[in-house]
Amino acid sequence: MEGEFSVNISSPRHTRAAEQDMWTGLNEADVNDALTPPSMNELIHRAVSIFEKHLKHVIITRQAKLHEMTSFHVTNSIASSSNTPQPQSRGAFHDQSIAVVKSKYEVEDMKLDPLVSSELQDLISNIASKYNNVFFHNFEHAAHVMASADSLLSMLQSTTLKTNEQLESKTDKALYAYSTLVVEPRHRSEKKLSTYGIASCPITHLALVYSALVHDMGHEGIGNQQMVKENHPLAIKYQGKSVAENNSLDIAIYLLEQKNYANLRRAIFGDFTNASTEAREFMNAEEHIFYNILTENIHATDIFSRERLERNRRKW
């Protein structure tokens, strides 16, 4: 992510011994230099665990959807052969098919195919190797961003919020005030937070944590503007537009599409072999969602892009 913050500490009120850092709210004495950062292997292990968790949700949801499609077509075929006047609608099968598949494949108990697990481990290790040893935009930073994204998604998946009077933090009150709230029929005091479909879309979750992990791959440790001034090869390649971000995006897509990750891609996007036309359309749509979110998220980290800022201003 582009952008660095600097604080003028020449003023007497910014004495390091007494004043709090304006960004973190910490005193110098609060910083424990004795803490050792996690090892590269530990960071990779954490990233694999997060990706695997969300991948399992994607697989479960897709299996449920495909099961729903099959049940719909089979039942309507039977209804047609028996001259039943009104075949049941697709929605009638939704809850039942989801329950059938989820009861069989719980996330905690689900085991990925060994080939998929091996390819995932290799992909994350490969991603780590593509990060340069620079001061900030390194793999440790990316792993932290991925963990933060995972935590935010877990918060979004919470089904209810307390009533406004019970909310304690300013963040919760802001969420309550600015989100669409729906009163649950069974408990009038409980409120449901609208997340515009994000909370219930596993492929979105997977795309978000993946984009968080890869968003600074190949970063040179200098800003886009400086690379443009220096006529850096990357600046020339991307015509001076979101240089670092486009480079990271290209690497992220290139890695995922390598032949040695074929089993992993099938786990993410589904197996098109012998799939029905409807199933293919569903899996194609999910793949489009994944790559679109990946692209938009990485581009969004270029906070100095005038085009991006103007686009966001018009959108929101």
Side-chain angles (χ1 to χ4, degrees):
M1 178 177 177
E2 289 301 312
E4 297 178 355
F5 296 101
S6 61
V7 180
N8 181 5
I9 60 173
S10 60
S11 171
R13 66 188 184 89
H14 282 104
T15 54
R16 296 181 63 188
E19 296 297 324
Q20 289 186 322
D21 181 275
M22 65 181 296
W23 299 114
T24 65
L26 296 174
N27 293 310
E28 188 180 69
D30 295 322
V31 179
N32 187 352
D33 293 328
L35 292 176
T36 57
S39 67
M40 181 64 72
N41 287 337
E42 177 62 23
L43 292 172
I44 291 173
H45 174 73
R46 293 178 188 178
V48 169
S49 297
I50 291 173
F51 193 105
E52 184 178 282
K53 177 184 70 174
H54 290 286
L55 176 57
K56 288 179 179 180
H57 279 287
V58 168
I59 294 172
I60 288 172
T61 305
R62 182 173 60 245
Q63 288 174 333
K65 181 65 177 177
L66 298 181
H67 181 85
E68 177 189 350
M69 291 176 180
T70 303
S71 299
F72 175 76
H73 289 303
V74 169
T75 303
N76 276 282
S77 176
I78 295 172
S80 298
S81 62
S82 61
N83 296 320
T84 303
Q86 294 292 332
Q88 286 182 279
S89 66
R90 184 184 306 279
F93 298 95
H94 182 73
D95 292 338
Q96 182 180 359
S97 62
I98 294 288
V100 168
V101 178
K102 281 196 175 182
S103 65
K104 187 177 181 181
Y105 300 102
E106 292 293 336
V107 173
E108 295 79 6
D109 301 326
M110 180 183 179
K111 300 295 182 183
L112 291 178
D113 183 285
L115 286 175
V116 174
S117 296
S118 176
E119 290 179 12
L120 174 58
Q121 177 74 33
D122 187 71
L123 173 64
I124 302 301
S125 299
N126 206 348
I127 289 171
S129 72
K130 300 302 180 186
Y131 272 87
N132 295 320
N133 187 24
V134 294
F135 178 69
F136 179 75
H137 304 277
N138 50 46
F139 185 69
E140 183 179 357
H141 160 68
H144 290 165
V145 175
M146 185 189 200
S148 297
D150 178 54
S151 296
L152 288 171
L153 288 170
S154 297
M155 292 168 60
L156 281 179
Q157 288 176 286
S158 178
T159 56
T160 60
L161 283 175
K162 297 177 181 179
T163 59
N164 195 31
E165 293 76 15
Q166 294 173 307
L167 297 176
E168 297 177 357
S169 72
K170 291 182 179 179
T171 302
D172 284 344
K173 290 181 179 179
L175 284 172
Y176 186 95
Y178 290 103
S179 302
T180 303
L181 296 169
V182 181
V183 177
E184 292 290 312
R186 48 197 178 88
H187 297 297
R188 294 182 60 85
S189 63
E190 292 184 353
K191 304 291 183 179
K192 187 175 181 181
L193 174 65
S194 172
T195 61
Y196 304 97
I198 295 176
S200 58
C201 184
I203 195 67
T204 294
H205 301 171
L206 188 62
L208 287 170
V209 295
Y210 182 67
S211 60
L213 185 66
V214 302
H215 79 280
D216 271 337
M217 266 199 304
H219 202 288
E220 297 289 333
I222 56 176
N224 288 336
Q225 295 177 355
Q226 187 62 32
M227 282 197 285
V228 171
K229 288 180 181 178
E230 296 176 0
N231 285 323
H232 192 283
L234 289 176
I236 297 172
K237 178 180 180 179
Y238 297 111
Q239 300 178 346
K241 294 184 177 180
S242 299
V243 179
E245 293 74 23
N246 279 315
N247 184 48
S248 298
L249 177 61
D250 281 352
I251 299 173
I253 295 175
Y254 172 79
L255 287 181
L256 187 57
E257 293 183 348
Q258 292 301 291
K259 292 181 179 179
N260 51 317
Y261 301 132
N263 294 291
L264 177 59
R265 285 196 305 277
R266 274 193 292 271
I268 297 172
F269 304 122
D271 189 353
F272 286 73
T273 307
N274 299 323
S276 66
T277 300
E278 190 175 16
R280 286 172 177 270
E281 289 177 353
F282 172 75
M283 291 185 285
N284 275 326
E286 288 217 316
E287 186 172 354
H288 175 76
I289 289 171
F290 181 92
Y291 281 110
N292 185 62
I293 291 174
L294 175 64
T295 302
E296 291 295 319
N297 275 8
I298 293 180
H299 280 164
T301 64
D302 184 4
I303 62 174
F304 288 122
S305 169
R306 294 182 179 179
E307 294 178 3
R308 172 67 51 179
L309 292 173
E310 178 59 24
R311 179 179 174 183
N312 291 342
R313 187 191 67 79
R314 291 196 306 267
K315 183 176 180 179
W316 303 107

